[in-house]
Amino acid sequence: MTEKQKPATLFKYQSANIQNLVNLRNRSIYFSSPQDFNDPYDCSNSLIIREPNIEDVPKFRELMSEVLQNKSENQKHTLLRSFLNEGTDKEVHEHMKMLAKGTPERELVDDLKRPGVSCFSDNNDNILMWAHYAESFKGYCLEFRTDNDFFDTVEHVKYVKDFMAVDLVPLLLEEAVSTEAIFLTKSFHWDSESEWRLLSNQQRVSFNYDKDILTAVYFGPRMEKALIEIIYLILEATNSDVKYWLGKLNKGEYRVDFEEYKFPDY
C-alpha cells in the first residue's frame, strides 16, 4: 500500500444524536462493526484468489505437510498426507485450484467480522460527507490533532477500481494479504472522502482520548441553534480551548465556508 504522510489534523463527521453527544461528553471515539457500513463492499471479502501455478506445488506440499504434523491422526488426514506424498504435481495442482475457489474466502469472511473501525477524513468541507455522515448538514464535524498516541496507528484508505488479487500459497501462509489491508481498501467511487482509519481488535466500542487532541468543532449550515449551544456547554465544562466554526453554504460555488463562532457569556 502506498505510503501517505499523516496530516496534522483529521476530521470526523457526526450526526447530532444522543449517543454522539454522550461520546463527546466522555471524550470517546466509537469503533463500528464493518457489518454496519453503508457500502456492502467496504471491508467485505472483495478478493480474487488467483488460479495457482503448477510451480507453486512444491511449496504447497511443504506447507500442508507442516499443517498436518499438528493434526491428530484420522482417516481424512491419513488420505491427505498420502495424497501430498504420492500424488502427481498435476493432481496436487488441480486440488490447489479447487481450494482457491472456496476455503480461503470463507476463512477471510470470519476474520473480517472481528476488528472495529473508526473513520476520519483529511478535509472538513466535503459536501458529500456533510450530506452522508453529518445528517444532511444538520450535524457537526470534529477536528483532532494527530501528533499523539491515539492516532499513532491511523492509516489512509486506498481507493481501487478492481478487487484485490492474491496468490493461494502466500495467503495460506498469511504473507499475501492482511486483514488490515482489506479494511483499508475501498472502491474508487468513494475517493472524494479522502478517508483515514483507525482499527481496533474490538468493535462497537468506544475508546477515550485526551481532551487536548480535540481542537475544533465545525457546525453544519443547517444545524439547530439549540444543539450548537448544547455542544458548546458540553465542551466548555471539559475543554475550554476548543474553537468553534459555523458553516455557511457558499452562494457562488458548491462549497461550505466556515467563520469562527464566538459564544456569548452564559
Side-chain angles (χ1 to χ4, degrees):
M1 185 168 293
T2 304
E3 291 294 328
K4 185 176 180 180
Q5 186 175 2
K6 179 172 65 175
T9 58
L10 286 172
F11 302 92
K12 191 167 186 65
Y13 293 82
Q14 303 265 253
S15 59
N17 59 43
I18 295 298
Q19 186 58 59
N20 284 337
L21 294 177
V22 170
N23 289 343
L24 189 62
R25 182 198 65 188
N26 294 337
R27 298 196 304 273
S28 62
I29 289 177
Y30 184 71
F31 284 72
S32 304
S33 165
Q35 294 172 310
D36 299 333
F37 286 172
N38 55 4
D39 176 12
Y41 286 108
D42 193 351
C43 300
S44 70
N45 186 32
S46 302
L47 288 176
I48 296 174
I49 311 299
R50 296 191 188 96
E51 183 170 301
N53 296 318
I54 197 165
E55 291 80 7
D56 296 324
V57 168
K59 189 67 178 179
F60 180 77
R61 290 183 193 268
E62 179 183 348
L63 169 65
M64 295 308 298
S65 295
E66 292 176 359
V67 170
L68 287 171
Q69 286 180 357
N70 300 319
K71 299 290 185 181
S72 58
E73 193 66 33
N74 58 37
Q75 184 178 11
K76 177 181 176 181
H77 294 155
T78 299
L79 290 173
L80 180 55
R81 187 176 289 107
S82 176
F83 172 72
L84 290 171
N85 292 334
E86 301 174 10
T88 65
D89 284 355
K90 182 178 180 180
E91 290 171 334
V92 174
H93 184 223
E94 289 300 317
H95 176 74
M96 291 171 63
K97 289 194 291 184
M98 181 175 63
L99 183 62
K101 294 178 181 178
T103 305
E105 289 93 334
R106 289 194 296 271
E107 291 175 350
L108 282 170
V109 167
D110 291 339
D111 288 341
L112 293 176
K113 292 177 181 176
R114 287 196 285 270
V117 185
S118 193
C119 306
F120 304 84
S121 175
D122 58 24
N123 65 71
N124 67 342
D125 58 358
N126 186 313
I127 61 175
L128 289 178
M129 298 284 278
W130 277 104
H132 292 160
Y133 304 112
E135 204 175 349
S136 300
F137 297 82
K138 292 181 288 187
Y140 57 96
C141 182
L142 302 176
E143 179 183 59
F144 295 95
R145 286 179 24 239
T146 61
D147 58 344
N148 51 78
D149 291 342
F150 195 92
F151 285 95
D152 188 49
T153 59
V154 71
E155 297 279 355
H156 73 98
V157 170
K158 181 179 180 181
Y159 299 97
V160 298
K161 289 188 176 182
D162 302 307
F163 284 179
M164 187 185 306
V166 297
D167 294 316
L168 174 65
V169 173
L171 178 62
L172 294 175
L173 289 169
E174 299 181 349
E175 294 176 352
V177 61
S178 65
T179 301
E180 287 80 7
I182 298 172
F183 274 84
L184 297 169
T185 302
K186 292 180 68 172
S187 164
F188 73 100
H189 294 92
W190 299 90
D191 63 357
S192 65
E193 293 185 348
S194 194
E195 186 177 347
W196 292 70
R197 288 181 170 179
L198 284 172
L199 304 182
S200 166
N201 58 5
Q202 300 178 63
Q203 59 180 232
R204 299 191 180 105
V205 296
S206 297
F207 294 101
N208 296 105
Y209 56 85
D210 294 334
K211 68 176 184 179
D212 61 343
I213 75 172
L214 176 63
T215 58
V217 181
Y218 296 81
F219 300 116
R222 299 168 65 186
M223 192 171 187
E224 294 181 17
K225 185 177 180 180
L227 288 172
I228 291 176
E229 292 178 350
I230 287 172
I231 289 177
Y232 170 76
L233 292 172
I234 288 173
L235 292 176
E236 185 65 13
T238 59
N239 189 357
S240 58
D241 294 329
V242 170
K243 291 185 176 181
Y244 302 93
W245 301 83
L246 186 62
K248 292 186 176 181
L249 297 177
N250 188 282
K251 299 299 183 181
E253 300 179 21
Y254 295 115
R255 192 179 73 222
V256 180
D257 296 323
F258 295 97
E259 60 180 28
E260 191 167 1
Y261 188 74
K262 298 292 186 180
F263 285 89
D265 294 332
Y266 285 90

